Amino acid sequence: MAMLCSSLRLLNLRRQLFTTCTTTTIRCSSSRTVSDNFVTIGDITIDNPPIGTAPHLIPRLPLGLDFQNVQSSIPPCHLSHLRWMLQKDLVLKQDFLLLGLPNLARERRHLLLLYASLLGREIEYVSLSKDTSEADLKQRKEVTNNGTVYTNQAPVRAAIKGRLLVLDGLEKAERNVLPTLNNLLENRELPLDDGTMLLSPDVRGEHPGGIPVQPDFRVAALGTISDDGTIALDPPLRSRFQARLASAVDVGDAFVTASAMSNGFLDTETLKYLMNTVGGVSGGVSLELIHSAVRYLEQYQHNITPRAALNAHGISVNGDMIETDDIVAPFELRTVAAPKSLSYIETLTTKAVGDLILAGFESGSSAVALVGPKGCYKSTIARSIVDTSAELFSLHPDITARDLLQSRGTNEEGDTIWRDTPLTRAARSGKYVIMDGIDKLRSDTMSSLAMLLERGWAVLPDGTSFYTNEKFRCIAIAHPPSEKSWITPEIKSMFHWINAKPLPRDELHEILRGLFPSIRTETLEKILNLQEQLNNVVVDSDAEKEAMQLSLRKIKHICRRVNENPGELSSIIHNCLMTSFLPELERNIVEKCLARCGIDTNDEKFLDKFFSQHYSFNEDPLLVSCKRTPSNPLLVPNVEFFPNPMQENIMRQILESHSVGERALLITGYQGVGKNKITDALLSQLNCEREYTQLHRDTTIQSLMLSPSVEDGKIVYHDSPLIRAAKHGRILVLDEADKAPTEVVALLKGLIEDGQLSLPDGRVIYYDDSGIHDDSNHIKIHPDFRIWALTNPAVFPFQGNDLSRHMSDVFACHIVPPMDEESHRRILTSYGKGVNPHVIDKLVKVWEDLRIAHQTGSISYIFSVRESVSIVKHLSKFPDEGIQAAIENVLAFDRLDTSLSKHLNKIFRSQGIKMVAKEKEESGRGLGGISTPKTRASSPKHGKEDPDNTPHIGGNTWAGGTGGSDTAGLGGRGGPYRLDKGHPIHQISDEMKAQVSEEAKQRAKEMANEALAKKLEELNMGELDWERYNSVRARVEENIKDMKRYLKDLKKRKEERQWLHRQTSGELDENRLVEVLAGERDVFKRRGSPADHDTFLSDPINIKLVVDISASMYRFGYDGRLERLLEATLMIMECFRGDKRFNLYITGHNGSSPKIDLVHPSMQLDEKTQLRVLESMVAHTQYTYAGDHTIEAIEVAVEESDPDTLVIAISDANLSRYDITLNDLKPLQSSKVHAHLIFIASLGDEAAALAKAVPNERAQCCMDTSDLPIIIKKLVTSALK
């Protein structure tokens, strides 16, 4: 009763205030008057409007709006919308839907909440997302001591209490979820999971057990129209709503309301400029954002420009944000002292960014987004502003809309409970929260916070709600958007946007000098010079560009080590940039940049001590100084390690990073180079306790932190190796870290960089220097805790994730390279004590040749020491079997690949090791065993086609079988021709083959000739054409296979399935164990492709090959340049034909024209067409006029190409004759496309000198024409990465 009286007094107060402010400004249809028992908006009057019993569910008026100025602050179009909503809600009693463009999502929300606020309507709010389920719309099960309890959700509560149900984001829910409410919308009926049923008051008399739906219950939905002008709703759902399109406010009306809302500090011209800019934004701008920008500019008009004020609120045609360059005069803001434990050195830029953040908060925004590239001081600046009680919320892609606010768990009694997240805790208590990584969230997940960040109203999954503490502030940190921006129009309206740029050189120098006061000035200058050089390079791949950047974090890693070891600068930089795993072109760019900065790229002098017989790593003073005394010796690795120079050098480098306090190391190398051996051996030498975790595809963020289980009906969380290592100061070894989803390991960034990490059970682990006050819910991290992650490089053919791209600046990086010959020899000698040293020398030399073959691109697989050790172990135990048998166990993987097998055998033969007999070498298919035909040979035939392609052995019915009779296949007898269906080959004996009659043999030969003629007729090719085509293709067969394998791997990665959560079947989801206890259905997960999965087909990549078909290519053809060009062109056509992921263009240039079209995407490429292209190229070289159009061809190709096209131009131009200079090659540096020029077989050194002078390795000289296909393959694969 007291609550009801309070609600009545509140509503009367609202009515009196509104009446007072409107009685003198009434305008017919655009006015609203209220008395104690009626409401009027325009010509709509409602007697006895509903009065609720929960005032806290009545929305507050927006900032800057009260009952005194509401009439003057609402434009006519908004009053019209309010009138329409009143008409639908309380006159016609219809459910309604406000529609509009994405930019105006905030405006639609504002209108609906304004309506509810003015009428005193209680609301229940549901922010819809892809994670919304039936349980969120009806009832959720909770477990208590008394059993299972059903908790009503917002729609049910609204129906029972007669409230306004707001469904925000109708188009975001997964299909077939919202139909749950169809009957509630249509008939006001809904069966509930607890056995009860919501019933319309009209029929409740017939069902006494039903719960009546109050007459004042209404559903008000908000929806966004897509770019194509439609909204995807299920027709039955759509038909149940009355809809209205809410367009942007007219610029004139916006000007009037902005003037009314302002304090009069802005002149008319400034307001006009603001409104004109707003009018130019496609899709419109929310009126609330305009008002916020006006208030912001009024407060800081002497500090920033009007355009900057709009940019800060996401009101920009180009997506610009406010940045330090927009500050025209320093801010006068309250000073904030940085935590003493924070290594923070303030500069002009960092102070300016901090001032922009504080100015955003003081102007009324509760959420600021700080957007900038890696390592530009974002996290540190944010930390410098907040106090030590601030919450850190590290985000990742698997977070759902519910997880942003609360997570479920159980208490000690086993009852299900809801735990607040760092965001909710900060909102309740008025703290700062740093949300790190909002760019990782789905847009529907991020936009679910709109009510909280825009209106300060938190609606929680447990059914409660609250208004945030007035001191609550949110700083969101993110990386800049890529081509597909994560900043959707709706998200744009939620934050105050600040762009953080990389710090200028002088400020970087100031920071690094402050952090590392003893570093040599010369060394520091070299590092900063290198950063500038690398920032200016141009490469084809964004991934490689990012990998080559020296962020502030990377520079700090370098400085920590070089401060102690100034002579190893080059080695430290190479490790930091992981240059060994960059493509050859990018690696050469780094080497040139190092040379230009005066950094010695030869570190051999530092390796001498490791080859010395007098050096002992066990006695190294640094090792001795870092030794520990283990409390649990069983956790110290016990490993067999044979000392060798290379691995001891790597161990020394890792030890240096460890000794200077690096919290996390990333140790990367090819398979079998000894990463685990090196790690365990070093830990053993240090007496360090190790916690070990093997990561894989199914590793989750929760499993990395805690291991949940159900015990005695409640969820119990057991510490993972990560938590145990953090508590006790151990080394956590994350093995195969690249095999886990990137976001799993990336979550550790908050722990490594920011010093704290929130756990699923509500606890927080933190470093002592993070400034957190200790309590029972916090775990202090031991100062000796370290993380060592072991990974393979993210290069083909490795199938792991590109962890280094996302985390290389957080970790101190170390590369474990392939082993040098001397180290390799020592290891093999140690494992094979009885093996002839001459045999070991052969193996070492062969493995070095294999390494070089991989480095040059001749083979894609890198043969490792692990395999050579296996060979030596085999020889040691079974010396009589010979080296060939031992090596065959390693090469068996490649025996089905004829061309690769030949290449490998050539390498082994070069060292006197003959591997297999010629007949095996030429076999393209592995033997499946001996076959005995089931029937006698009779008459040859093609055979039936098996649609399932099942292997058939020994029969005479199916085409493509093996070891049978009469049909086309392999390994059998009497068939007309070979037909390979991809199955293992079963061979019959020569004696059985001899049983085929001469008549059958002749008939088989005739059928083979007929089939060949038919095939050639289909291709419109003669026999000589076919032979010539195959002869050209055979010479690049291995390159074609290699590139196709790479393209297949790209497609496989793009189409890789993901974990789909909240499924009704599949594997039990460990993240939903509470829901399992509660008996919910959607507690499983399974692998699949999300409904919104982007396919590679939607964005084809353009590749343009510009070939030289000039007279000189024919004239100087004796060196094979024309043949090599034909081979390279055929390789490109073979690899990309029929692949819809790519658009292939091939044009030629010669003395007659800079552009001769040869291939375009609309052409259907086949053997015949490709041969005609090659013949056309030859004809042009034979009959064209002398001359050269190389430069013009490059210019045309660049100018006519779409952005990001890969352009590869080939020329054998006589540079001096045609006066081609470095200045002529400027188009190669175009930022629009990725352009490369290859000079082939040019006379003298002029081409090599010119190619070397072209920046960014955009030109190469191919003196050996046989390398041309390999060079082109490298360019293509590098760009596609």
Side-chain angles (χ1 to χ4, degrees):
M1 179 61 71
M3 183 176 293
L4 177 60
C5 294
S6 174
S7 177
L8 287 171
R9 287 195 297 270
L10 175 65
L11 182 58
N12 287 333
L13 177 61
R14 288 171 178 265
R15 290 169 173 169
Q16 292 166 13
L17 287 173
F18 196 81
T19 304
T20 302
C21 74
T22 59
T23 52
T24 60
T25 57
I26 293 178
R27 289 187 188 172
C28 300
S29 62
S30 65
S31 63
R32 171 196 186 277
T33 60
V34 185
S35 68
D36 285 347
N37 57 359
F38 70 92
V39 175
T40 299
I41 301 180
D43 58 347
I44 304 295
T45 298
I46 300 297
D47 293 323
N48 300 316
I51 299 174
T53 59
H56 65 283
L57 294 180
I58 301 175
R60 295 176 180 175
L61 284 173
L63 179 67
L65 191 68
D66 57 42
F67 290 101
Q68 301 297 331
N69 67 356
V70 67
Q71 176 75 25
S72 61
S73 301
I74 297 180
C77 62
H78 280 193
L79 289 172
S80 176
H81 295 319
L82 293 173
R83 174 194 176 277
W84 178 81
M85 284 187 278
L86 178 62
Q87 180 188 62
K88 295 300 175 183
D89 179 19
L90 298 180
V91 177
L92 298 174
K93 301 186 183 302
Q94 295 172 332
D95 300 324
F96 57 92
L97 166 64
L98 277 180
L99 289 170
L101 295 174
N103 288 28
L104 303 177
R106 178 170 181 168
E107 182 140 308
R108 293 191 294 277
R109 219 166 9 248
H110 162 77
L111 279 170
L112 187 50
L113 297 179
L114 178 62
Y115 168 78
S117 178
L118 293 177
L119 269 77
R121 282 284 260 156
E122 298 173 2
I123 72 168
E124 294 281 357
Y125 178 81
V126 179
S127 179
L128 299 172
S129 70
K130 296 183 186 302
D131 301 311
T132 303
S133 66
E134 179 187 5
D136 299 314
L137 301 176
K138 294 174 65 178
Q139 289 181 322
R140 182 177 287 117
K141 295 180 183 178
E142 302 289 355
V143 177
T144 68
N145 288 332
N146 298 324
T148 300
V149 175
Y150 290 87
T151 304
N152 293 333
Q153 298 304 293
V156 177
R157 293 196 302 268
I160 294 174
K161 298 295 185 179
R163 295 167 182 161
L164 189 65
L165 172 63
V166 178
L167 299 178
D168 193 354
L170 209 60
E171 75 289 345
K172 297 173 187 174
E174 293 279 13
R175 63 189 183 94
N176 298 331
V177 172
L178 291 180
T180 300
L181 301 179
N182 276 353
N183 203 33
L184 181 63
L185 292 168
E186 179 73 15
N187 301 314
R188 292 306 192 246
E189 296 180 358
L190 183 68
L192 301 179
D193 294 337
D194 63 358
T196 61
M197 184 169 183
L198 297 182
L199 292 174
S200 168
D202 298 334
V203 299
R204 185 172 177 253
E206 303 174 10
H207 301 276
I211 302 173
V213 175
Q214 295 301 315
D216 295 327
F217 166 63
R218 212 77 62 231
V219 180
L222 302 172
T224 297
I225 296 175
S226 61
D227 293 337
D228 60 3
T230 63
I231 180 170
L233 295 180
D234 190 30
L237 179 67
R238 168 179 166 166
S239 65
R240 287 173 166 86
F241 285 103
Q242 295 291 291
R244 183 178 177 89
L245 183 65
S247 302
V249 176
D250 179 77
V251 173
D253 290 336
F255 178 85
V256 172
T257 59
S259 301
M261 290 289 293
S262 72
N263 296 316
F265 296 148
L266 299 181
D267 57 66
T268 303
E269 291 303 317
T270 301
L271 284 174
K272 284 183 178 179
Y273 169 80
L274 295 177
M275 295 307 113
N276 287 334
T277 305
V278 167
V281 176
S282 176
V285 178
S286 167
L287 189 61
E288 270 198 311
L289 277 183
I290 298 174
H291 291 169
S292 296
V294 169
R295 287 194 299 269
Y296 180 55
L297 184 59
E298 278 192 315
Q299 191 168 350
Y300 299 109
Q301 58 182 308
H302 301 299
N303 308 101
I304 59 173
T305 64
R307 178 176 293 277
L310 294 175
N311 291 346
H313 290 81
I315 306 173
S316 168
V317 176
N318 302 319
D320 295 332
M321 307 174 191
I322 194 171
E323 54 190 36
T324 55
D325 293 341
D326 296 320
I327 300 176
V328 296
F331 289 90
E332 295 181 2
L333 300 166
R334 61 183 179 87
T335 58
V336 180
K340 294 180 180 180
S341 60
L342 187 65
S343 298
Y344 174 67
I345 297 175
E346 187 175 77
T347 67
L348 291 176
T349 300
T350 60
K351 182 181 185 306
V353 174
D355 287 345
L356 288 176
I357 295 174
L358 292 175
F361 288 143
E362 293 189 6
S363 67
S365 296
S366 63
V368 168
L370 187 58
V371 181
K374 283 184 180 180
C376 67
Y377 239 39
K378 299 186 300 294
S379 298
T380 308
I381 293 173
R383 279 288 179 187
S384 73
I385 291 174
V386 304
D387 55 33
T388 57
S389 65
E391 299 277 359
L392 174 67
F393 200 175
S394 297
L395 305 176
H396 54 85
D398 286 342
I399 283 184
T400 65
R402 189 182 77 181
D403 298 333
L404 287 173
L405 298 171
Q406 287 183 319
S407 62
R408 291 184 90 177
T410 59
N411 59 18
E412 295 181 356
E413 288 74 35
D415 298 347
T416 53
I417 58 173
W418 290 91
R419 295 189 179 98
D420 289 348
T421 64
L423 173 62
T424 304
R425 290 198 298 266
R428 285 188 193 276
S429 58
K431 297 179 181 178
Y432 278 88
V433 62
I434 298 176
M435 297 183 67
D436 193 353
I438 61 170
D439 53 305
K440 299 174 184 177
L441 300 179
R442 290 198 321 259
S443 59
D444 64 297
T445 302
M446 189 66 234
S447 60
S448 67
L449 296 179
M451 185 71 84
L452 172 64
L453 300 182
E454 293 173 3
R455 304 299 292 266
W457 193 22
V459 181
L460 303 181
D462 66 359
T464 64
S465 63
F466 66 91
Y467 278 97
T468 60
N469 188 297
E470 61 180 10
K471 294 182 179 180
F472 165 67
R473 299 290 184 267
C474 171
I475 301 178
I477 297 175
H479 292 149
S482 56
E483 294 177 4
K484 185 177 181 181
S485 177
W486 57 268
I487 305 178
T488 63
E490 186 169 1
I491 293 176
K492 189 182 293 185
S493 67
M494 294 167 54
F495 291 96
H496 184 98
W497 296 94
I498 299 174
N499 181 36
K501 292 182 177 180
L503 298 178
R505 179 186 174 121
D506 59 335
E507 296 187 16
L508 278 176
H509 190 285
E510 178 184 350
I511 290 173
L512 295 171
R513 175 57 68 194
L515 294 175
F516 309 99
S518 61
I519 193 171
R520 296 178 184 176
T521 301
E522 178 188 6
T523 301
L524 186 55
E525 287 298 319
K526 287 181 179 180
I527 296 172
L528 294 178
N529 288 339
L530 179 63
Q531 187 203 36
E532 289 185 350
Q533 292 272 345
L534 294 176
N535 284 342
N536 294 327
V537 301
V538 178
V539 294
D540 296 331
S541 165
D542 290 339
E544 304 303 349
K545 173 73 173 178
E546 188 174 339
M548 294 167 63
Q549 303 301 294
L550 278 179
S551 67
L552 180 56
R553 285 197 190 99
K554 287 185 179 180
I555 294 176
K556 287 163 71 175
H557 290 309
I558 294 172
C559 289
R560 284 192 189 99
R561 280 192 60 198
V562 83
N563 202 22
E564 302 295 328
N565 303 279
E568 299 183 23
L569 177 59
S570 175
S571 173
I572 294 170
I573 290 174
H574 278 298
N575 273 295
C576 184
L577 294 176
M578 307 182 80
T579 52
S580 296
F581 306 126
L582 291 175
E584 184 179 359
L585 291 182
E586 285 77 3
R587 192 164 59 246
N588 292 338
I589 291 174
V590 173
E591 293 291 344
K592 288 182 178 180
C593 290
L594 287 168
R596 284 196 291 266
C597 296
I599 299 174
D600 186 6
T601 59
N602 184 9
D603 283 332
E604 290 183 2
K605 56 187 177 182
F606 303 113
L607 304 181
D608 292 342
K609 68 177 181 181
F610 297 100
F611 289 91
S612 170
Q613 298 295 327
H614 304 291
Y615 174 77
S616 172
F617 180 72
N618 296 345
E619 299 174 0
D620 192 299
L622 184 61
L623 176 68
V624 174
S625 67
C626 293
K627 282 182 177 288
R628 298 181 182 178
T629 302
S631 59
N632 187 350
L634 292 177
L635 294 178
V636 178
N638 182 16
V639 61
E640 182 182 40
F641 178 75
F642 298 114
N644 63 88
M646 190 279 284
Q647 291 186 331
E648 288 188 329
N649 175 35
I650 302 302
M651 290 165 66
R652 183 61 159 74
Q653 294 180 21
I654 294 173
L655 184 60
E656 289 172 4
S657 291
H658 177 74
S659 67
V660 297
E662 291 286 5
R663 289 177 174 175
L665 306 182
L666 186 67
I667 303 170
T668 305
Y670 296 121
Q671 87 292 346
V673 294
K675 297 185 297 294
N676 293 80
K677 185 79 72 174
I678 289 171
T679 300
D680 288 347
L682 181 55
L683 293 176
S684 178
Q685 294 282 2
L686 290 171
N687 286 330
C688 284
E689 298 174 22
R690 180 197 68 179
E691 291 282 356
Y692 179 86
T693 297
Q694 171 87 46
L695 304 187
H696 48 82
R697 182 201 70 175
D698 296 338
T699 302
T700 63
I701 289 171
Q702 175 153 313
S703 66
L704 183 62
M705 296 188 290
L706 295 170
S707 176
S709 64
V710 180
E711 299 178 10
D712 297 328
K714 59 185 177 181
I715 306 296
V716 178
Y717 291 94
H718 301 281
D719 289 344
S720 69
L722 167 64
I723 305 304
R724 293 198 300 267
K727 282 181 176 180
H728 302 292
R730 296 167 183 159
I731 306 291
L732 173 68
V733 175
L734 299 177
D735 198 8
E736 305 283 5
D738 57 307
K739 301 302 186 289
T742 304
E743 61 270 12
V744 172
V745 184
L747 187 73
L748 297 176
K749 183 260 179 186
L751 178 61
I752 298 167
E753 285 290 316
D754 302 315
Q756 62 174 290
L757 183 66
S758 297
L759 304 180
D761 62 357
R763 294 179 296 167
V764 176
I765 60 174
Y766 69 99
Y767 279 99
D768 195 30
D769 60 359
S770 62
I772 293 180
H773 299 296
D774 193 16
D775 62 37
S776 59
N777 214 33
H778 291 74
I779 305 172
K780 186 180 294 185
I781 296 175
H782 195 285
D784 291 336
F785 168 62
R786 299 289 188 272
I787 298 174
W788 292 4
L790 311 183
T791 72
N792 295 126
V795 296
F796 181 76
F798 292 93
Q799 299 180 358
N801 298 307
D802 195 353
L803 180 63
S804 60
R805 179 182 180 186
H806 298 88
M807 294 290 287
S808 62
D809 63 336
V810 175
F811 289 87
C813 299
H814 290 272
I815 292 174
V816 183
M819 198 160 283
D820 63 89
E821 292 187 54
E822 176 58 28
S823 299
H824 195 180
R825 186 177 290 106
R826 292 190 189 183
I827 285 184
L828 295 187
T829 302
S830 299
Y831 279 103
K833 297 189 182 299
V835 179
N836 190 324
H838 181 63
V839 172
I840 289 179
D841 284 341
K842 279 187 176 183
L843 283 175
V844 169
K845 291 176 180 177
V846 166
W847 250 245
E848 179 64 14
D849 291 342
L850 291 171
R851 184 191 67 80
I852 295 173
H854 172 267
Q855 186 175 332
T856 58
S858 299
I859 61 176
S860 59
Y861 181 78
I862 176 71
F863 288 85
S864 68
V865 177
R866 179 182 295 152
E867 287 134 322
S868 62
V869 167
S870 297
I871 293 172
V872 168
K873 287 181 175 180
H874 186 103
L875 291 173
S876 182
K877 293 290 186 182
F878 303 97
D880 296 337
E881 293 188 3
I883 189 172
Q884 288 85 359
I887 293 176
E888 188 63 31
N889 296 331
V890 172
L891 300 186
F893 297 95
D894 306 306
R895 281 303 174 213
L896 299 184
D897 191 331
T898 308
S899 56
L900 175 58
S901 186
K902 289 180 179 179
H903 190 69
L904 294 175
N905 289 339
K906 181 180 178 181
I907 293 175
F908 278 90
R909 281 198 302 269
S910 69
Q911 299 299 332
I913 303 174
K914 187 176 181 182
M915 289 304 305
V916 290
K918 184 175 181 180
E919 60 269 19
K920 278 191 178 181
E921 185 177 310
E922 294 177 349
S923 174
R925 179 73 60 197
L927 294 179
I930 301 300
S931 172
T932 301
K934 301 172 184 176
T935 60
R936 299 180 61 182
S938 56
S939 178
K941 58 187 176 183
H942 177 79
K944 294 182 180 180
E945 289 291 342
D946 184 352
D948 299 326
N949 193 24
T950 304
H952 297 283
I953 303 168
N956 72 338
T957 303
W958 301 99
T962 67
S965 302
D966 301 338
T967 58
L970 292 173
R973 63 181 180 181
Y977 39 80
R978 289 173 295 280
L979 182 59
D980 186 0
K981 294 285 190 176
H983 304 300
I985 303 170
H986 292 74
Q987 294 278 3
I988 67 172
S989 66
D990 292 339
E991 291 78 6
M992 290 185 176
K993 290 182 179 180
Q995 296 173 5
V996 180
S997 67
E998 291 298 325
E999 180 182 358
K1001 290 180 181 179
Q1002 181 62 31
R1003 176 57 186 150
K1005 184 177 181 180
E1006 292 172 358
M1007 289 184 66
N1009 291 335
E1010 291 170 3
L1012 175 60
K1014 182 179 179 182
K1015 176 68 173 178
L1016 296 178
E1017 183 180 355
E1018 291 174 358
L1019 298 173
N1020 196 17
M1021 298 171 69
E1023 188 171 349
L1024 292 178
D1025 293 335
W1026 182 253
E1027 291 178 0
R1028 184 174 179 212
Y1029 176 85
N1030 274 334
S1031 69
V1032 176
R1033 193 184 192 283
R1035 292 194 290 271
V1036 286
E1037 177 72 22
E1038 182 55 34
N1039 289 312
I1040 291 173
K1041 285 185 176 180
D1042 200 31
M1043 188 180 290
K1044 282 189 173 181
R1045 281 193 290 263
Y1046 182 79
L1047 297 176
K1048 184 179 180 180
D1049 183 68
L1050 282 180
K1051 183 178 181 182
K1052 187 177 178 181
R1053 288 171 182 267
K1054 194 71 179 179
E1055 296 176 349
E1056 187 173 25
R1057 297 183 304 164
Q1058 304 172 17
W1059 280 114
L1060 305 180
H1061 299 276
R1062 303 182 76 106
Q1063 303 295 302
T1064 55
S1065 63
E1067 298 181 31
L1068 188 64
D1069 190 343
E1070 71 277 7
N1071 292 320
R1072 293 181 60 76
L1073 290 182
V1074 178
E1075 286 75 8
V1076 173
L1077 290 177
E1080 295 188 12
R1081 295 191 298 271
D1082 56 344
V1083 295
F1084 298 93
K1085 62 180 181 179
R1086 60 180 176 82
R1087 301 290 289 186
S1089 296
D1092 60 346
H1093 183 62
D1094 294 328
T1095 62
F1096 206 6
L1097 301 176
S1098 61
D1099 189 20
I1101 298 172
N1102 296 322
I1103 298 177
K1104 183 174 290 187
L1105 185 64
V1106 184
V1107 297
D1108 190 337
I1109 48 177
S1110 62
S1112 59
M1113 292 293 292
Y1114 192 87
R1115 185 184 310 119
F1116 299 110
Y1118 55 79
D1119 65 357
R1121 66 181 66 182
L1122 182 56
E1123 283 298 309
R1124 301 293 89 76
L1125 179 62
L1126 296 177
E1127 293 166 6
T1129 305
L1130 178 60
M1131 175 188 72
I1132 292 295
M1133 291 190 291
E1134 278 285 318
C1135 291
F1136 293 108
R1137 78 177 189 188
D1139 195 330
K1140 295 181 180 180
R1141 297 175 293 167
F1142 305 95
N1143 290 329
L1144 178 61
Y1145 302 83
I1146 302 180
T1147 64
H1149 64 92
N1150 55 27
S1152 303
S1153 173
K1155 181 187 177 185
I1156 301 168
D1157 289 324
L1158 298 171
V1159 174
H1160 51 82
S1162 61
M1163 289 177 59
Q1164 297 295 321
L1165 292 178
D1166 54 24
E1167 288 86 348
K1168 167 194 166 184
T1169 308
Q1170 291 171 177
L1171 181 61
R1172 296 294 175 257
V1173 171
L1174 301 183
E1175 290 177 337
S1176 174
M1177 292 169 60
V1178 174
H1180 277 288
T1181 64
Q1182 184 174 3
Y1183 299 110
T1184 187
Y1185 292 106
D1188 182 76
H1189 278 103
T1190 296
I1191 301 304
E1192 293 84 351
I1194 296 173
E1195 291 173 346
V1196 170
V1198 171
E1199 183 179 346
E1200 294 183 354
S1201 295
D1202 292 332
D1204 291 326
T1205 298
L1206 174 62
V1207 177
I1208 302 176
I1210 304 171
S1211 173
D1212 78 336
N1214 187 320
L1215 303 180
S1216 58
R1217 178 179 179 182
Y1218 297 111
D1219 194 25
I1220 297 176
T1221 66
L1222 179 62
N1223 190 58
D1224 295 320
L1225 299 178
K1226 283 186 177 179
L1228 294 176
Q1229 305 302 319
S1230 169
S1231 59
K1232 173 187 173 185
V1233 302
H1234 310 296
H1236 292 269
L1237 173 61
I1238 303 173
F1239 292 116
I1240 60 172
S1242 297
L1243 300 176
D1245 298 329
E1246 56 180 358
L1250 182 59
K1252 187 175 181 180
V1254 174
N1256 301 312
E1257 297 291 302
R1258 288 306 178 103
Q1260 298 182 67
C1261 190
C1262 177
M1263 300 306 296
D1264 185 350
T1265 57
S1266 63
D1267 292 335
L1268 181 61
I1270 295 178
I1271 291 175
I1272 293 178
K1273 182 185 73 175
K1274 285 183 177 180
L1275 290 175
V1276 172
T1277 54
S1278 175
L1280 293 183
K1281 186 179 179 183

